[in-house]
Amino acid sequence: MPISRIHSVAFIALDTLAVEVEVDVIASDKTSIVIVGLPDMAVKESKDRVLTAIRNSGYPLTELHCTVNLAPGTLKKEGALYDLPIALGLLRSQEKIQSNHHQDYIIVGELGLGGELRPVRGALALALFAKESGKKGILLPAKNAAEAAMVEGIDVIPISHLSDAVKFLEQTSSITPAKKEISSDLFSSKTPMIDFSEIRGQAHAKRALEIAASGSHNLLLFGPPGSGKTMLSKALCGIMPELSTEEALDCTRIHSIVGLLKDGQNLITSRPFRAPHHTVSYAGLIGGGTNPRPGEVSLAHNGILFLDELPEFSRSTLEVLRQPLQDKQVTISRANGNFTFPTRFVCIAAMNPCPCGYLGHPDKECRDNEAQILRYKSKISGPLLDRLDMHLEVPALRYKDLMKGENAESSFEVRERVKAARQRQHKRFGEQITNAQMSSRQLKAYFPLNSSCQLLMQDAVDRRGMSVRAHDSIHRLAATIADLEDSDTIAEEHLLEALSYREEQLSSAL
């Protein structure tokens, strides 16, 4: 009997790697399957599912011994996605499938005992890999077809039952490929969680959020409980530009591989907003595990990472944020290799001024002693603070501020200005780079400071003892403010406003 070779894949971290499922069958007095090639327990258990599914699908098997090799043998295989390729390989080796059409497709799928196909994770990543590999298409569970069909240029064949896969490989016209066009309407503005018009007072904070959204700048909000820090953070979602198609596919690929897409969700159409609890572990925030899994910083890719009660996070967990904040990616090293996850997000952190929260409050007395306050603030290191471009005080509001009938702008109005500023940056750098990612060389090339601005910057650096990183952060903030004002150069008022978001008393207090 011939050896069958079926093309499949393995998901290692966020990488999609080719796997060849080799099936060899010989006559035996007892039916058995042996699976080799570093399978995990879920893969090993597939032999019982496969045999039962084949019998219940109407394909009688003679007594045989089947050896399944998942190549390459050095790559660990996880999950139940190899059920369908193993079953088809076995049927092909027994010559119940005569054609060679399987060579044109990548095949994945989990089998039920009746032969029905159950959904698997990573459908979008599978389709992208098949297209890059030059394959004609993919065979996968029907419930995953709409997600995979987001990728143009390959045939996505929805399989509901093992018998459907056999019929298709015998006669490829038996199933029509799934089609799904990505319409721009999918990314149309949705009602925000919190609209800017709902926020009373805090005009300075709302302006800071507009700048943060325009240039992808990280932001620290500092103020007493109830001043609106969490509300402001959630309102940031409503003024961020809509996802581009490329960004949406990138977000969906990550969430699909991790298995976080909701039932019926084929594409992520809104920017992710991740708000991990302060008890989150190192691996939960950054990513980790034997087979590294993306953490919250990667699940927030192209979106927002909100860290509430910043000093309550463990210091060791906070310190590992340095690389993803600086490099927009995080690298995890394991014995079997290095894995890099994308982390291009806007970080917005919130904290109280002290453990009780009322240090400096106009009406309430702080109950903490100096040692408690110092211990609380010392959890945030200077290097981490430097990577948060804007440090903004959010003061407690008086009753009269809450009751003001001001005509506050809506999130839609603010978003239009943000999008216009982003458009200027896209013309300057391309789609993927905003002002927050500008290098020092690009800063000097696109936004050189005139003599008066240089004097202002020199005074600020000398007086506050700023680091080079803080200096460049202020320069980038001023560039974003200039973009919001539709200006090609940084004026004094732009730089002065940028300096106001790096409050001297706030930085010294921390």
Side-chain angles (χ1 to χ4, degrees), residues 2 14 24 30 40 57 129 139 180 190 223 276 330 338 360 368 370 412 418 447 450 492:
L14 293 181
D24 183 41
K30 183 180 179 181
D40 72 348
S57 298
F129 176 79
L139 271 68
K180 184 77 174 180
K190 300 173 179 61
V330 62
N338 296 328
D368 305 310
E370 290 186 12
F412 175 79
V418 169
F447 290 100
N450 59 36
E492 280 189 50

Side-chain angles (χ1 to χ4, degrees), residues 17-237:
L17 304 176
V19 169
E20 189 172 60
V21 180
E22 297 180 311
V23 181
D24 183 41
V25 174
I26 60 174
S28 174
D29 58 356
K30 183 180 179 181
T31 300
S32 62
I33 297 180
V34 174
I35 301 177
V36 297
L38 284 184
D40 72 348
M41 188 55 67
V43 180
K44 289 179 181 179
E45 290 178 348
S46 67
K47 58 188 178 183
D48 299 313
R49 291 193 299 271
V50 167
L51 288 175
T52 306
I54 289 176
R55 290 194 183 99
N56 290 335
S57 298
Y59 301 102
L61 292 176
T62 58
E63 299 301 316
L64 54 83
H65 174 75
C66 175
T67 301
V68 178
N69 178 37
L70 306 177
T74 55
L75 187 68
K76 188 170 183 179
K77 320 303 185 305
E78 297 183 342
L81 71 164
Y82 303 107
D83 289 5
L84 182 59
I86 291 173
L88 294 175
L90 198 158
L91 292 171
R92 177 81 173 84
S93 291
Q94 284 211 305
E95 299 182 344
K96 296 185 185 298
I97 299 175
Q98 299 291 332
S99 74
N100 291 318
H101 294 309
H102 64 276
Q103 297 177 357
D104 299 327
Y105 297 88
I106 293 178
I107 302 173
V108 299
E110 177 183 351
L111 285 170
L113 296 183
E116 66 278 2
L117 266 292
R118 291 182 175 142
V120 295
R121 60 185 177 88
L124 182 65
L126 169 64
L128 290 168
F129 176 79
K131 184 177 181 179
E132 292 169 2
S133 303
K135 293 295 182 183
K136 184 178 180 180
I138 57 176
L139 271 68
L140 80 172
K143 289 185 178 179
N144 294 121
E147 177 189 334
M150 295 292 174
V151 179
E152 298 178 348
I154 63 167
D155 290 342
V156 176
I157 310 302
I159 305 296
S160 299
H161 196 274
L162 174 60
S163 59
D164 296 336
V166 174
K167 290 176 184 176
F168 176 81
L169 293 180
E170 286 291 332
Q171 186 178 2
T172 55
S173 60
S174 63
I175 299 178
T176 302
K179 298 293 183 184
K180 184 77 174 180
E181 292 185 1
I182 301 179
S183 170
S184 58
D185 294 339
L186 290 173
F187 309 110
S188 59
S189 302
K190 300 173 179 61
T191 303
M193 286 190 288
I194 296 174
D195 195 277
F196 256 42
S197 61
E198 300 171 18
I199 302 174
R200 296 294 184 181
Q202 308 297 12
H204 189 52
K206 289 195 281 187
R207 169 65 173 174
L209 291 179
E210 180 180 344
I211 296 168
S214 299
S216 297
H217 300 285
N218 301 316
L219 175 66
L220 172 65
L221 300 179
F222 178 92
S227 57
K229 301 186 295 296
T230 300
M231 188 176 187
L232 286 162
S233 302
K234 291 180 178 179
L236 180 60
C237 292

Side-chain angles (χ1 to χ4, degrees), residues 389-408:
D389 305 317
M390 310 168 76
H391 309 155
L392 192 71
E393 185 173 9
V394 183
L397 292 176
R398 302 283 189 177
Y399 181 76
K400 63 179 181 180
D401 297 320
L402 294 174
M403 299 307 295
K404 280 182 180 177
E406 57 183 326
N407 295 319

Side-chain angles (χ1 to χ4, degrees), residues 449-493:
L449 297 178
N450 59 36
S451 56
S452 59
C453 287
Q454 287 181 12
L455 288 174
L456 276 174
M457 188 70 85
Q458 179 183 349
D459 176 69
V461 170
D462 291 344
R463 179 165 48 84
R464 304 184 188 184
M466 288 183 180
S467 66
V468 174
R469 184 180 290 111
H471 168 278
D472 287 352
S473 290
I474 291 171
H475 197 163
R476 294 185 186 100
L477 281 174
T480 300
I481 295 168
D483 280 335
L484 281 167
E485 299 297 326
D486 200 20
S487 172
D488 293 325
T489 58
I490 294 176
E492 280 189 50
E493 58 268 23

